[in-house]
Amino acid sequence: MAKTKTIYTCQNCGAQSPKWLGKCSTCNEWNTYVEEIVEKKQSSGKLSLQISGNQPITLENIEMAKTQRISVGIEEFNRVLGGGIVPGSLILLGGDPGIGKSTLALQLAMGLNGKKILYISGEESLQQIKLRAERLSKTKSNCLFLSETSLEHILAQSEQAKPELLIIDSIQTISTELIESSPGSVGQVRECTSGLLKFAKKNHVAVVLIGHITKEGSLAGPKVLEHMVDTVLQFEGDTNYMYRILRSNKNRFGSTNELGIFEMRSDGLREITNPSEQLISKVSHDVSGTAIAATIEGVRPFLIEIQALVSSAAYGTPQRSSTGFDLRRLNMLLAVLEKRAGFKLIAKDVFLNIAGGLKISDPATDLAVICSILSSNIDIAINHKICFAGEVGLTGEIRAVNRIEQRIAEAAKLGFSRIYVPSLNKGFDATKFKIDIVKVSRVEEVFKTIFA
Protein backbone atom coordinates (compact mmCIF):
# COMPACT_ATOMS: atom_id res chain seq x y z
CA MET A 1 0.00 0.00 0.00
CA ALA A 2 1.33 3.43 -0.91
CA LYS A 3 2.03 5.98 1.81
CA THR A 4 1.15 9.64 1.33
CA LYS A 5 3.74 12.25 2.20
CA THR A 6 3.66 16.04 2.22
CA ILE A 7 6.61 18.11 1.07
CA TYR A 8 7.07 21.80 0.36
CA THR A 9 8.58 22.93 -2.93
CA CYS A 10 9.89 26.37 -3.89
CA GLN A 11 8.02 27.66 -6.95
CA ASN A 12 11.01 29.77 -7.96
CA CYS A 13 13.94 27.32 -7.92
CA GLY A 14 12.39 23.91 -7.16
CA ALA A 15 14.11 23.37 -3.80
CA GLN A 16 12.27 20.99 -1.47
CA SER A 17 11.83 21.03 2.30
CA PRO A 18 9.98 18.73 4.73
CA LYS A 19 8.43 21.79 6.38
CA TRP A 20 7.21 25.18 5.24
CA LEU A 21 9.80 27.97 5.18
CA GLY A 22 9.13 31.66 4.88
CA LYS A 23 12.32 32.28 2.92
CA CYS A 24 13.93 29.84 0.51
CA SER A 25 17.48 29.01 1.56
CA THR A 26 18.51 28.39 -2.08
CA CYS A 27 17.20 31.40 -4.02
CA ASN A 28 16.55 33.70 -1.01
CA GLU A 29 12.99 34.49 -2.14
CA TRP A 30 10.14 34.99 0.33
CA ASN A 31 6.83 33.09 0.38
CA THR A 32 7.61 30.77 -2.52
CA TYR A 33 7.05 27.39 -0.82
CA VAL A 34 3.86 25.48 -1.74
CA GLU A 35 2.60 22.20 -0.37
CA GLU A 36 2.69 19.08 -2.53
CA ILE A 37 1.39 15.60 -1.79
CA VAL A 38 3.55 12.73 -2.99
CA GLU A 39 3.05 9.01 -2.72
CA LYS A 40 5.81 6.76 -1.50
CA LYS A 41 5.51 3.19 -2.70
CA GLN A 42 6.57 0.45 -0.35
CA SER A 43 9.56 -1.54 -1.53
CA SER A 44 9.91 -5.30 -1.13
CA GLY A 45 13.53 -4.84 -0.11
CA LYS A 46 14.83 -6.89 -3.05
CA LEU A 47 16.59 -5.34 -6.01
CA SER A 48 15.08 -6.50 -9.29
CA LEU A 49 17.47 -6.63 -12.22
CA GLN A 50 15.84 -6.87 -15.63
CA ILE A 51 17.42 -6.46 -19.04
CA SER A 52 15.32 -4.31 -21.33
CA GLY A 53 15.03 -4.71 -25.07
CA ASN A 54 17.41 -1.80 -25.82
CA GLN A 55 21.03 -2.84 -25.91
CA PRO A 56 24.11 -0.57 -25.95
CA ILE A 57 25.74 -0.21 -29.38
CA THR A 58 28.76 1.58 -30.81
CA LEU A 59 28.61 4.99 -32.45
CA GLU A 60 29.14 3.71 -36.01
CA ASN A 61 26.22 1.30 -35.66
CA ILE A 62 23.73 4.05 -34.84
CA GLU A 63 21.44 4.61 -37.82
CA MET A 64 20.69 8.23 -38.61
CA ALA A 65 17.14 8.95 -39.70
CA LYS A 66 16.74 11.72 -42.24
CA THR A 67 14.46 14.25 -40.56
CA GLN A 68 13.34 17.21 -42.61
CA ARG A 69 12.76 20.38 -40.64
CA ILE A 70 9.34 22.01 -40.72
CA SER A 71 9.78 25.39 -42.36
CA VAL A 72 7.35 27.86 -40.82
CA GLY A 73 5.99 30.89 -42.62
CA ILE A 74 8.07 33.25 -40.44
CA GLU A 75 11.65 33.45 -41.72
CA GLU A 76 12.95 35.13 -38.57
CA PHE A 77 11.59 32.21 -36.55
CA ASN A 78 13.30 29.78 -38.92
CA ARG A 79 16.57 31.68 -38.53
CA VAL A 80 16.54 31.45 -34.73
CA LEU A 81 15.76 27.72 -34.77
CA GLY A 82 18.53 27.01 -37.26
CA GLY A 83 16.39 26.35 -40.34
CA GLY A 84 12.99 25.32 -39.01
CA ILE A 85 11.30 23.11 -36.42
CA VAL A 86 12.72 19.62 -35.94
CA PRO A 87 9.97 16.95 -35.70
CA GLY A 88 9.84 15.42 -32.24
CA SER A 89 11.48 18.43 -30.57
CA LEU A 90 10.19 20.32 -27.54
CA ILE A 91 10.41 24.13 -27.78
CA LEU A 92 9.88 26.45 -24.82
CA LEU A 93 8.90 30.03 -25.67
CA GLY A 94 9.03 32.53 -22.78
CA GLY A 95 8.50 36.24 -22.42
CA ASP A 96 6.99 39.02 -20.34
CA PRO A 97 3.20 39.44 -20.14
CA GLY A 98 1.82 41.24 -23.18
CA ILE A 99 5.05 40.99 -25.16
CA GLY A 100 3.38 38.98 -27.97
CA LYS A 101 4.02 35.29 -27.21
CA SER A 102 0.47 34.19 -28.04
CA THR A 103 0.41 36.41 -31.11
CA LEU A 104 3.62 34.85 -32.40
CA ALA A 105 2.32 31.33 -31.68
CA LEU A 106 -0.98 32.05 -33.47
CA GLN A 107 0.80 33.49 -36.50
CA LEU A 108 3.03 30.43 -36.49
CA ALA A 109 0.04 28.09 -36.39
CA MET A 110 -1.98 29.96 -39.02
CA GLY A 111 0.99 30.43 -41.34
CA LEU A 112 1.86 26.74 -41.76
CA ASN A 113 0.05 25.60 -44.88
CA GLY A 114 -0.25 21.91 -45.63
CA LYS A 115 0.59 20.89 -42.04
CA LYS A 116 -1.81 19.59 -39.41
CA ILE A 117 -1.56 21.71 -36.26
CA LEU A 118 -3.31 21.45 -32.91
CA TYR A 119 -3.41 24.65 -30.85
CA ILE A 120 -4.26 24.11 -27.16
CA SER A 121 -5.23 27.21 -25.19
CA GLY A 122 -5.57 27.09 -21.43
CA GLU A 123 -5.81 30.86 -21.01
CA GLU A 124 -8.27 31.93 -23.72
CA SER A 125 -11.62 30.66 -24.93
CA LEU A 126 -12.15 29.68 -28.56
CA GLN A 127 -14.10 32.90 -29.14
CA GLN A 128 -11.17 34.99 -27.88
CA ILE A 129 -8.78 33.12 -30.16
CA LYS A 130 -11.03 33.81 -33.15
CA LEU A 131 -11.17 37.51 -32.31
CA ARG A 132 -7.38 37.63 -32.20
CA ALA A 133 -7.14 35.72 -35.50
CA GLU A 134 -9.51 38.19 -37.15
CA ARG A 135 -7.32 41.05 -35.92
CA LEU A 136 -4.36 39.31 -37.55
CA SER A 137 -6.40 38.87 -40.77
CA LYS A 138 -5.89 35.11 -40.56
CA THR A 139 -9.17 33.21 -40.46
CA LYS A 140 -8.68 30.39 -42.96
CA SER A 141 -6.37 27.58 -41.92
CA ASN A 142 -6.36 23.85 -41.32
CA CYS A 143 -5.24 24.43 -37.73
CA LEU A 144 -7.36 22.79 -35.01
CA PHE A 145 -8.12 24.70 -31.81
CA LEU A 146 -9.01 23.36 -28.38
CA SER A 147 -9.54 25.10 -25.05
CA GLU A 148 -8.41 22.61 -22.40
CA THR A 149 -6.32 22.50 -19.22
CA SER A 150 -6.23 18.76 -18.44
CA LEU A 151 -3.06 17.01 -19.59
CA GLU A 152 -4.84 13.67 -19.93
CA HIS A 153 -7.51 15.15 -22.22
CA ILE A 154 -4.87 17.00 -24.26
CA LEU A 155 -2.85 13.83 -24.84
CA ALA A 156 -6.01 11.90 -25.76
CA GLN A 157 -7.06 14.52 -28.30
CA SER A 158 -3.53 14.67 -29.68
CA GLU A 159 -3.43 10.89 -30.13
CA GLN A 160 -6.68 11.08 -32.06
CA ALA A 161 -5.86 14.18 -34.17
CA LYS A 162 -2.24 13.13 -34.90
CA PRO A 163 -0.91 16.66 -35.53
CA GLU A 164 2.53 17.48 -36.90
CA LEU A 165 2.83 20.44 -34.53
CA LEU A 166 1.30 20.83 -31.07
CA ILE A 167 1.17 24.28 -29.43
CA ILE A 168 0.44 24.63 -25.70
CA ASP A 169 -0.55 28.10 -24.44
CA SER A 170 0.59 27.98 -21.71
CA ILE A 171 2.32 25.25 -19.71
CA GLN A 172 1.49 27.03 -16.41
CA THR A 173 -2.25 26.50 -17.00
CA ILE A 174 -2.02 22.74 -17.66
CA SER A 175 -2.50 20.25 -14.82
CA THR A 176 -2.42 16.50 -14.42
CA GLU A 177 -4.43 14.24 -12.13
CA LEU A 178 -1.25 12.54 -10.92
CA ILE A 179 -0.43 15.43 -8.59
CA GLU A 180 -2.77 17.06 -6.10
CA SER A 181 -1.60 20.64 -6.47
CA SER A 182 -2.78 23.71 -8.31
CA PRO A 183 -1.82 24.44 -11.96
CA GLY A 184 1.41 26.37 -12.28
CA SER A 185 3.07 24.79 -9.25
CA VAL A 186 6.52 23.30 -9.54
CA GLY A 187 5.27 19.73 -9.51
CA GLN A 188 2.52 20.33 -12.05
CA VAL A 189 4.83 22.11 -14.49
CA ARG A 190 7.45 19.37 -14.16
CA GLU A 191 5.02 16.45 -14.61
CA CYS A 192 3.07 18.07 -17.47
CA THR A 193 6.28 18.86 -19.35
CA SER A 194 7.49 15.30 -18.80
CA GLY A 195 4.24 13.91 -20.21
CA LEU A 196 4.41 16.16 -23.28
CA LEU A 197 8.07 15.25 -23.78
CA LYS A 198 7.23 11.54 -23.87
CA PHE A 199 4.40 12.19 -26.32
CA ALA A 200 6.66 14.28 -28.60
CA LYS A 201 9.45 11.69 -28.74
CA LYS A 202 7.12 8.71 -29.11
CA ASN A 203 4.92 10.15 -31.88
CA HIS A 204 7.61 12.30 -33.57
CA VAL A 205 5.50 15.43 -33.05
CA ALA A 206 7.00 18.88 -32.52
CA VAL A 207 5.65 20.62 -29.41
CA VAL A 208 5.82 24.36 -28.67
CA LEU A 209 5.29 25.32 -25.02
CA ILE A 210 4.57 28.91 -24.03
CA GLY A 211 5.95 29.71 -20.57
CA HIS A 212 5.54 32.55 -18.11
CA ILE A 213 8.30 34.81 -16.76
CA THR A 214 9.02 35.64 -13.12
CA LYS A 215 9.59 39.19 -11.88
CA GLU A 216 13.35 38.61 -12.16
CA GLY A 217 12.98 37.86 -15.89
CA SER A 218 13.67 34.10 -15.71
CA LEU A 219 11.32 31.37 -16.86
CA ALA A 220 8.75 30.45 -14.24
CA GLY A 221 8.84 26.93 -12.87
CA PRO A 222 11.69 24.65 -11.85
CA LYS A 223 15.06 25.02 -13.54
CA VAL A 224 14.77 21.42 -14.70
CA LEU A 225 12.11 22.66 -17.14
CA GLU A 226 14.81 24.29 -19.29
CA HIS A 227 16.91 21.12 -19.15
CA MET A 228 14.04 18.91 -20.29
CA VAL A 229 13.20 20.82 -23.48
CA ASP A 230 15.31 20.87 -26.65
CA THR A 231 15.10 24.60 -27.36
CA VAL A 232 14.56 27.63 -25.11
CA LEU A 233 13.46 30.82 -26.87
CA GLN A 234 13.24 34.18 -25.13
CA PHE A 235 10.83 36.76 -26.58
CA GLU A 236 11.87 40.14 -25.21
CA GLY A 237 11.42 43.83 -25.77
CA ASP A 238 9.96 46.90 -24.15
CA THR A 239 6.18 47.17 -24.40
CA ASN A 240 6.61 50.92 -24.92
CA TYR A 241 8.54 50.25 -28.13
CA MET A 242 7.43 48.48 -31.27
CA TYR A 243 10.42 46.17 -31.67
CA ARG A 244 10.61 42.61 -30.32
CA ILE A 245 13.63 40.31 -30.25
CA LEU A 246 13.49 36.52 -30.30
CA ARG A 247 16.64 34.99 -28.80
CA SER A 248 17.72 31.38 -28.56
CA ASN A 249 19.14 30.62 -25.09
CA LYS A 250 19.37 26.88 -25.75
CA ASN A 251 19.15 24.93 -29.00
CA ARG A 252 20.12 21.29 -29.42
CA PHE A 253 19.59 21.50 -33.18
CA GLY A 254 21.26 24.81 -34.02
CA SER A 255 23.22 27.83 -32.86
CA THR A 256 22.38 29.78 -29.71
CA ASN A 257 23.92 32.97 -31.13
CA GLU A 258 21.07 33.82 -33.48
CA LEU A 259 18.20 36.22 -33.02
CA GLY A 260 15.13 37.40 -34.91
CA ILE A 261 13.75 40.94 -34.89
CA PHE A 262 10.04 41.75 -35.22
CA GLU A 263 7.90 44.85 -35.22
CA MET A 264 4.65 44.79 -33.27
CA ARG A 265 1.82 46.31 -35.29
CA SER A 266 -1.94 46.43 -34.99
CA ASP A 267 -2.26 43.47 -37.38
CA GLY A 268 0.38 41.34 -35.59
CA LEU A 269 4.12 40.86 -35.75
CA ARG A 270 6.04 41.87 -38.87
CA GLU A 271 9.53 40.61 -39.64
CA ILE A 272 12.39 43.12 -39.79
CA THR A 273 14.72 41.86 -42.51
CA ASN A 274 17.06 44.88 -42.40
CA PRO A 275 17.19 46.13 -38.79
CA SER A 276 19.94 48.68 -39.45
CA GLU A 277 17.67 50.94 -41.50
CA GLN A 278 14.95 50.74 -38.84
CA LEU A 279 17.14 51.42 -35.80
CA ILE A 280 19.00 54.47 -37.11
CA SER A 281 17.11 57.77 -37.05
CA LYS A 282 16.68 59.44 -40.41
CA VAL A 283 18.04 62.89 -39.53
CA SER A 284 19.75 65.04 -42.13
CA HIS A 285 21.63 67.18 -39.61
CA ASP A 286 24.17 66.20 -36.98
CA VAL A 287 23.19 66.24 -33.31
CA SER A 288 25.64 66.09 -30.40
CA GLY A 289 25.52 63.07 -28.13
CA THR A 290 24.77 60.45 -30.79
CA ALA A 291 27.09 57.84 -32.30
CA ILE A 292 26.53 54.83 -34.54
CA ALA A 293 27.92 51.44 -33.49
CA ALA A 294 28.44 48.43 -35.75
CA THR A 295 27.32 45.51 -33.62
CA ILE A 296 26.64 41.82 -34.14
CA GLU A 297 23.90 39.86 -32.42
CA GLY A 298 24.11 36.19 -33.28
CA VAL A 299 25.50 35.99 -36.78
CA ARG A 300 23.73 39.08 -38.08
CA PRO A 301 25.51 42.45 -38.22
CA PHE A 302 23.51 45.65 -37.91
CA LEU A 303 24.01 49.26 -36.91
CA ILE A 304 22.47 50.86 -33.85
CA GLU A 305 22.24 54.43 -32.64
CA ILE A 306 23.67 55.22 -29.19
CA GLN A 307 22.43 58.38 -27.51
CA ALA A 308 24.12 60.06 -24.57
CA LEU A 309 23.30 63.12 -22.49
CA VAL A 310 25.86 64.71 -20.16
CA SER A 311 24.83 67.64 -17.98
CA SER A 312 25.87 69.28 -14.74
CA ALA A 313 24.61 67.45 -11.67
CA ALA A 314 21.60 69.23 -10.19
CA TYR A 315 22.08 67.50 -6.84
CA GLY A 316 25.13 66.58 -4.81
CA THR A 317 25.48 63.05 -6.17
CA PRO A 318 25.71 62.74 -9.98
CA GLN A 319 23.34 60.29 -11.65
CA ARG A 320 24.36 57.39 -13.88
CA SER A 321 21.50 55.94 -15.89
CA SER A 322 21.55 53.44 -18.74
CA THR A 323 18.79 51.96 -20.92
CA GLY A 324 19.69 48.93 -23.02
CA PHE A 325 23.35 48.97 -21.93
CA ASP A 326 25.01 47.43 -18.87
CA LEU A 327 25.25 50.10 -16.17
CA ARG A 328 28.37 48.57 -14.63
CA ARG A 329 30.14 48.67 -17.97
CA LEU A 330 29.06 52.29 -18.41
CA ASN A 331 30.66 53.18 -15.07
CA MET A 332 33.84 51.40 -16.17
CA LEU A 333 33.98 53.38 -19.43
CA LEU A 334 33.45 56.64 -17.53
CA ALA A 335 36.38 55.74 -15.27
CA VAL A 336 38.53 55.10 -18.37
CA LEU A 337 37.60 58.52 -19.75
CA GLU A 338 38.64 60.19 -16.48
CA LYS A 339 41.83 58.25 -15.86
CA ARG A 340 43.21 57.67 -19.36
CA ALA A 341 41.74 60.50 -21.44
CA GLY A 342 41.64 63.26 -18.81
CA PHE A 343 37.93 64.17 -19.10
CA LYS A 344 36.45 65.12 -15.74
CA LEU A 345 32.93 63.72 -15.52
CA ILE A 346 32.79 63.16 -11.77
CA ALA A 347 30.41 66.09 -11.25
CA LYS A 348 28.26 65.38 -14.34
CA ASP A 349 25.02 63.44 -14.82
CA VAL A 350 25.40 60.82 -17.56
CA PHE A 351 22.40 59.24 -19.29
CA LEU A 352 22.82 56.58 -21.97
CA ASN A 353 20.17 55.08 -24.24
CA ILE A 354 20.19 52.46 -27.01
CA ALA A 355 17.66 53.72 -29.55
CA GLY A 356 14.82 51.38 -30.41
CA GLY A 357 14.50 49.76 -26.99
CA LEU A 358 17.18 47.14 -27.69
CA LYS A 359 19.41 45.50 -25.08
CA ILE A 360 22.97 45.17 -26.30
CA SER A 361 25.77 43.13 -24.71
CA ASP A 362 28.32 43.33 -27.52
CA PRO A 363 31.59 44.82 -26.14
CA ALA A 364 32.35 46.24 -29.59
CA THR A 365 29.90 49.07 -28.84
CA ASP A 366 32.27 50.52 -26.21
CA LEU A 367 33.96 52.88 -28.66
CA ALA A 368 30.67 54.35 -29.84
CA VAL A 369 29.49 54.74 -26.24
CA ILE A 370 32.48 56.82 -25.10
CA CYS A 371 32.35 58.90 -28.30
CA SER A 372 28.68 59.72 -27.76
CA ILE A 373 29.37 60.66 -24.12
CA LEU A 374 32.26 62.93 -25.08
CA SER A 375 30.23 64.45 -27.93
CA SER A 376 27.47 65.41 -25.50
CA ASN A 377 29.96 66.68 -22.92
CA ILE A 378 31.70 69.12 -25.26
CA ASP A 379 28.54 69.67 -27.37
CA ILE A 380 30.21 68.84 -30.67
CA ALA A 381 28.27 66.61 -33.05
CA ILE A 382 29.75 63.55 -34.74
CA ASN A 383 29.20 63.25 -38.47
CA HIS A 384 26.21 60.96 -39.01
CA LYS A 385 28.15 59.15 -41.77
CA ILE A 386 30.75 57.87 -39.26
CA CYS A 387 30.36 54.65 -37.26
CA PHE A 388 32.48 52.78 -34.71
CA ALA A 389 33.44 49.23 -33.78
CA GLY A 390 35.85 48.54 -30.94
CA GLU A 391 36.15 47.31 -27.38
CA VAL A 392 37.71 49.65 -24.82
CA GLY A 393 40.10 48.21 -22.24
CA LEU A 394 40.88 49.55 -18.78
CA THR A 395 44.21 50.97 -19.97
CA GLY A 396 42.48 52.99 -22.69
CA GLU A 397 43.49 50.71 -25.57
CA ILE A 398 41.10 49.74 -28.36
CA ARG A 399 40.89 45.97 -28.32
CA ALA A 400 40.16 43.76 -31.32
CA VAL A 401 36.60 42.59 -31.99
CA ASN A 402 35.29 39.56 -33.81
CA ARG A 403 33.81 39.46 -37.35
CA ILE A 404 35.18 42.86 -38.26
CA GLU A 405 34.64 42.29 -41.99
CA GLN A 406 30.91 41.77 -41.51
CA ARG A 407 30.66 44.98 -39.51
CA ILE A 408 32.53 46.97 -42.15
CA ALA A 409 30.45 45.47 -44.96
CA GLU A 410 27.20 46.41 -43.20
CA ALA A 411 28.38 50.00 -42.71
CA ALA A 412 29.46 50.27 -46.35
CA LYS A 413 26.13 48.85 -47.55
CA LEU A 414 24.20 51.54 -45.68
CA GLY A 415 26.27 54.33 -47.20
CA PHE A 416 28.57 55.28 -44.31
CA SER A 417 31.71 57.12 -45.36
CA ARG A 418 34.04 56.17 -42.47
CA ILE A 419 34.37 53.51 -39.79
CA TYR A 420 36.78 53.41 -36.87
CA VAL A 421 38.10 49.92 -36.12
CA PRO A 422 40.84 48.57 -33.80
CA SER A 423 44.32 48.49 -35.25
CA LEU A 424 44.73 45.02 -33.70
CA ASN A 425 42.18 43.64 -36.17
CA LYS A 426 44.33 42.40 -39.04
CA GLY A 427 44.10 39.87 -41.81
CA PHE A 428 41.36 41.46 -43.92
CA ASP A 429 41.52 43.26 -47.24
CA ALA A 430 40.44 46.87 -46.68
CA THR A 431 40.49 47.70 -50.40
CA LYS A 432 37.41 45.62 -51.18
CA PHE A 433 35.18 47.86 -49.05
CA LYS A 434 33.86 51.18 -50.39
CA ILE A 435 34.37 52.95 -47.08
CA ASP A 436 37.21 54.79 -45.37
CA ILE A 437 38.60 52.46 -42.67
CA VAL A 438 40.48 54.23 -39.86
CA LYS A 439 42.50 51.99 -37.54
CA VAL A 440 43.01 53.25 -34.00
CA SER A 441 44.79 51.78 -30.98
CA ARG A 442 43.99 54.29 -28.18
CA VAL A 443 40.93 56.28 -27.20
CA GLU A 444 42.96 59.48 -27.38
CA GLU A 445 43.57 58.90 -31.11
CA VAL A 446 39.84 58.70 -31.79
CA PHE A 447 39.11 61.91 -29.91
CA LYS A 448 41.85 63.85 -31.65
CA THR A 449 40.64 62.68 -35.06
CA ILE A 450 36.94 63.36 -34.54
CA PHE A 451 36.97 66.47 -32.36
CA ALA A 452 40.14 68.14 -33.65
Side-chain angles (χ1 to χ4, degrees):
M1 183 178 178
K3 294 182 178 179
T4 58
K5 181 183 177 182
T6 300
I7 63 172
Y8 295 88
T9 306
C10 176
Q11 289 185 300
N12 188 44
C13 65
Q16 294 183 342
S17 173
K19 61 180 181 180
W20 186 86
L21 298 175
K23 183 179 180 181
C24 178
S25 58
T26 304
C27 63
N28 295 323
E29 291 293 332
W30 289 91
N31 299 324
T32 57
Y33 275 93
V34 293
E35 182 181 5
E36 290 186 5
I37 299 176
V38 296
E39 292 185 356
K40 184 178 181 181
K41 296 182 179 180
Q42 290 184 347
S43 175
S44 61
K46 296 181 180 180
L47 183 62
S48 176
L49 298 177
Q50 296 180 354
I51 300 177
S52 62
N54 296 330
Q55 300 295 326
I57 58 177
T58 58
L59 190 63
E60 56 268 16
N61 291 329
I62 299 177
E63 296 182 0
M64 291 295 295
K66 294 183 178 180
T67 56
Q68 186 175 2
R69 291 177 182 257
I70 302 175
S71 178
V72 301
I74 307 174
E75 290 302 322
E76 292 294 300
F77 199 89
N78 283 335
R79 178 200 299 273
V80 175
L81 291 178
I85 300 176
V86 176
S89 63
L90 201 61
I91 301 171
L92 178 60
L93 174 62
D96 293 326
I99 205 67
K101 303 184 299 295
S102 299
T103 301
L104 178 62
L106 185 59
Q107 287 187 223
L108 173 67
M110 303 292 286
L112 273 172
N113 297 322
K115 303 290 183 182
K116 196 169 186 179
I117 304 161
L118 179 58
Y119 189 105
I120 306 294
S121 177
E123 299 180 346
E124 296 177 300
S125 64
L126 296 180
Q127 290 77 14
Q128 289 175 314
I129 295 175
K130 187 172 182 179
L131 287 174
R132 190 150 46 88
E134 290 177 350
R135 180 173 60 86
L136 301 177
S137 302
K138 295 180 181 293
T139 55
K140 293 183 179 180
S141 173
N142 56 352
C143 179
L144 302 175
F145 293 92
L146 176 65
S147 181
E148 183 59 69
T149 58
S150 172
L151 177 66
E152 287 74 19
H153 293 168
I154 291 173
L155 294 179
Q157 292 291 340
S158 301
E159 291 280 0
Q160 181 180 359
K162 292 181 171 56
E164 297 177 70
L165 177 63
L166 176 63
I167 300 176
I168 306 293
D169 185 12
S170 63
I171 188 61
Q172 274 76 20
T173 61
I174 308 301
S175 62
T176 176
E177 299 175 356
L178 299 176
I179 297 181
E180 297 182 7
S181 59
S182 59
S185 63
V186 173
Q188 286 285 2
V189 171
R190 182 177 59 245
E191 292 299 323
C192 291
T193 304
S194 178
L196 292 168
L197 176 63
K198 294 177 182 177
F199 172 79
K201 303 303 180 184
K202 177 183 176 182
N203 299 277
H204 211 55
V205 175
V207 179
V208 176
L209 305 177
I210 296 179
H212 293 172
I213 293 293
T214 63
K215 61 182 181 181
E216 290 81 15
S218 58
L219 287 165
K223 196 66 178 179
V224 71
L225 176 64
E226 299 181 43
H227 293 282
M228 293 170 65
V229 300
D230 298 306
T231 304
V232 178
L233 302 180
Q234 190 89 0
F235 203 43
E236 59 189 39
D238 194 334
T239 54
N240 297 320
Y241 291 90
M242 65 184 78
Y243 298 112
R244 304 287 187 268
I245 294 180
L246 183 66
R247 297 181 186 270
S248 174
N249 296 335
K250 173 188 176 182
N251 193 356
R252 289 175 177 162
F253 309 107
S255 172
T256 58
N257 296 323
E258 194 52 88
L259 83 164
I261 300 179
F262 299 86
E263 180 185 5
M264 177 61 78
R265 306 176 66 175
S266 59
D267 56 348
L269 292 164
R270 185 179 69 89
E271 303 174 65
I272 302 296
T273 56
N274 192 351
S276 298
E277 295 183 348
Q278 303 290 332
L279 298 175
I280 299 177
S281 60
K282 309 296 189 301
V283 292
S284 57
H285 59 282
D286 299 331
V287 182
S288 64
T290 62
I292 307 299
T295 183
I296 286 185
E297 286 289 328
V299 296
R300 169 191 287 182
F302 57 91
L303 304 183
I304 58 173
E305 180 178 336
I306 297 178
Q307 301 173 344
L309 177 62
V310 179
S311 62
S312 299
Y315 305 98
T317 304
Q319 299 183 62
R320 301 286 188 263
S321 177
S322 175
T323 303
F325 191 80
D326 188 11
L327 182 59
R328 291 174 298 180
R329 193 164 188 88
L330 173 61
N331 290 327
M332 183 202 76
L333 295 176
L334 293 176
V336 172
L337 284 177
E338 291 230 14
K339 182 72 175 180
R340 306 299 178 186
F343 295 98
K344 303 301 180 183
L345 301 173
I346 193 171
K348 300 290 185 69
D349 291 336
V350 179
F351 303 94
L352 191 72
N353 176 50
I354 307 296
L358 298 179
K359 294 180 181 179
I360 299 298
S361 58
D362 186 9
T365 59
D366 290 351
L367 188 56
V369 168
I370 63 174
C371 287
S372 64
I373 293 173
L374 185 58
S375 172
S376 176
N377 184 44
I378 62 179
D379 200 20
I380 297 179
I382 301 174
N383 192 324
H384 64 278
K385 290 296 183 180
I386 296 177
C387 63
F388 306 88
E391 178 185 356
V392 177
L394 290 177
T395 60
E397 82 278 11
I398 309 298
R399 300 175 61 86
V401 297
N402 62 342
R403 301 177 188 172
I404 190 64
E405 292 190 51
Q406 292 179 268
R407 302 173 193 265
I408 298 174
E410 181 71 13
K413 183 178 72 174
L414 292 177
F416 281 79
S417 59
R418 183 184 302 172
I419 181 172
Y420 287 83
V421 300
S423 59
L424 295 177
N425 275 111
K426 301 175 182 178
F428 65 93
D429 185 11
T431 59
K432 66 179 182 180
F433 301 105
K434 295 182 180 179
I435 186 174
D436 182 19
I437 301 175
V438 181
K439 296 183 178 182
V440 290
S441 58
R442 305 280 305 174
V443 293
E444 301 93 322
E445 297 179 32
V446 184
F447 301 152
K448 290 178 181 178
T449 307
I450 298 176
F451 306 109

